[in-house]
Amino acid sequence: MSNAAPFDEDSCPWDLTEEANLVQHVTEEAGRIALSYFVRGDIHQWDKSPDNPVSEADMAVDEFLRTTLMQNRPGYGWLSEETEDQPERLRCGRLWIVDPIDGTRDFLAGGENWGISVALVQDQKPVIAAFYAPVKNAFYFAQRGKGATLNGKPIAVSCNATLDEARMMGDPEAFKHTSPFWPVPWPEGMHTEQANSIALRICQIADGQFDCCVTLRPKNDWDVAAADLILEEAGGLLTTGDQDRLLFNRKKPLHAHIIASCPNLIPSIMDRVTPALEKWRNRNK
């Protein structure tokens, strides 16, 4: 849990409308910076850890976001994939959570499934969120209580109520009907496809292109903070595999697993996720 005192909005000089304007402007500019590297090509890259690439573009976007947002909002906390974590953020009622380029692997491969993720979190919940995928010309935005948009137009999750007709955003190999990982198999007819960026996957559920996303691999705050609010404001739901809502700005900013879906599919998804998690947790007992 966070040690932060509840945020005092009355003493804050910036209301959420001002925060929304700042986030939209800064995220758009960050997208232009990332796109300039993408178009140029020949980007210097290295591995932060095995099979975990980062590039000069990630670092340039991170520097721009950190400098601009923190100069405009002194006293706010900061958490980014590409910045060393500082414990001071835990005492902040409001903080920025960003992923300078979510989907770096696809970015470096010349693909389109990557973007910039920016969230303003207040009292452990996102209140402003943007995700911008420049190559796809897709700018997702949400403000708590005011809905979600794609390129300025309102979006909503699908009304699909059956997994047999569902469009799952995930690794097709992981959801094969014959996979031994799932005690209760997924339907053979379920359509499944992959995108490198987890935030983009969730946003494409928010706009109804897909119906659900299940990943039992851990995800960090910066992976999902913005997408969490965008999906919620579009009428969807993001939880852990145990159906707990996500809290951000904790000491360890990590979520063990992620379930994102339109509401109608949640029961059928959990019919498969719950026994799979039980099997996984009991494997060494």
Side-chain angles (χ1 to χ4, degrees), residues 16-17 20 125-129 141-149 228-235:
L16 288 183
T17 298
K125 299 294 292 182
V127 292
I128 303 287
F141 182 79
Q143 179 175 337
R144 183 163 295 282
K146 294 195 173 183
T149 60
D228 181 11
L229 182 62
I230 292 166
L231 181 61
E232 180 181 351
E233 288 295 320

Side-chain angles (χ1 to χ4, degrees), residues 157-174:
V157 297
S158 79
C159 297
N160 192 359
T162 171
L163 278 179
D164 295 271
E165 301 174 358
R167 297 156 295 175
M168 170 73 76
M169 179 54 78
D171 181 358
E173 288 296 316

Side-chain angles (χ1 to χ4, degrees), residues 92-187:
C92 297
R94 272 186 183 171
L95 84 156
W96 302 108
I97 299 182
V98 312
D99 193 339
I101 298 179
D102 185 40
T104 296
R105 187 175 286 102
D106 200 65
F107 173 87
L108 294 171
E112 64 177 7
N113 294 315
W114 58 270
I116 291 86
S117 182
V118 178
L120 177 62
V121 168
Q122 176 179 310
D123 298 330
Q124 298 193 287
K125 299 294 292 182
V127 292
I128 303 287
F131 181 81
Y132 182 29
V135 181
K136 297 176 78 71
N137 187 32
F139 190 98
Y140 295 89
F141 182 79
Q143 179 175 337
R144 183 163 295 282
K146 294 195 173 183
T149 60
L150 169 57
N151 296 338
K153 297 181 179 180
I155 55 175
V157 297
S158 79
C159 297
N160 192 359
T162 171
L163 278 179
D164 295 271
E165 301 174 358
R167 297 156 295 175
M168 170 73 76
M169 179 54 78
D171 181 358
E173 288 296 316
F175 295 93
K176 280 187 173 180
H177 181 75
T178 55
S179 171
F181 182 82
W182 306 99
V184 179
W186 297 89

Side-chain angles (χ1 to χ4, degrees), residues 32-236:
R32 284 190 283 269
I33 294 171
L35 195 58
S36 70
Y37 282 90
F38 181 82
V39 172
R40 186 194 79 190
D42 191 25
I43 302 168
H44 178 53
Q45 60 180 284
W46 60 97
D47 279 352
K48 294 184 291 186
S49 57
D51 198 33
N52 184 18
V54 67
S55 75
E56 58 180 323
D58 296 83
M59 305 311 292
V61 174
D62 185 71
E63 174 65 21
F64 167 75
L65 289 171
R66 185 174 71 255
T67 300
T68 306
L69 291 172
M70 297 302 284
Q71 284 181 349
N72 278 276
R73 296 295 185 264
Y76 283 20
W78 177 261
L79 179 64
S80 165
E81 180 174 12
E82 308 305 345
T83 307
E84 184 178 355
D85 193 9
Q86 300 294 329
E88 290 79 10
R89 67 174 171 81
L90 295 171
R91 297 190 290 272
C92 297
R94 272 186 183 171
L95 84 156
W96 302 108
I97 299 182
V98 312
D99 193 339
I101 298 179
D102 185 40
T104 296
R105 187 175 286 102
D106 200 65
F107 173 87
L108 294 171
E112 64 177 7
N113 294 315
W114 58 270
I116 291 86
S117 182
V118 178
L120 177 62
V121 168
Q122 176 179 310
D123 298 330
Q124 298 193 287
K125 299 294 292 182
V127 292
I128 303 287
F131 181 81
Y132 182 29
V135 181
K136 297 176 78 71
N137 187 32
F139 190 98
Y140 295 89
F141 182 79
Q143 179 175 337
R144 183 163 295 282
K146 294 195 173 183
T149 60
L150 169 57
N151 296 338
K153 297 181 179 180
I155 55 175
V157 297
S158 79
C159 297
N160 192 359
T162 171
L163 278 179
D164 295 271
E165 301 174 358
R167 297 156 295 175
M168 170 73 76
M169 179 54 78
D171 181 358
E173 288 296 316
F175 295 93
K176 280 187 173 180
H177 181 75
T178 55
S179 171
F181 182 82
W182 306 99
V184 179
W186 297 89
E188 288 188 81
M190 185 177 72
H191 172 77
T192 310
E193 65 181 77
Q194 176 72 296
N196 184 214
S197 164
I198 181 65
L200 179 59
R201 292 183 234 169
I202 297 169
C203 287
Q204 290 179 324
I205 297 167
D207 70 11
Q209 292 186 61
F210 289 84
D211 302 304
C212 50
C213 173
V214 175
T215 175
L216 302 187
R217 296 178 178 176
K219 297 298 177 184
N220 294 283
D221 275 10
W222 50 78
D223 295 315
V224 295
D228 181 11
L229 182 62
I230 292 166
L231 181 61
E232 180 181 351
E233 288 295 320

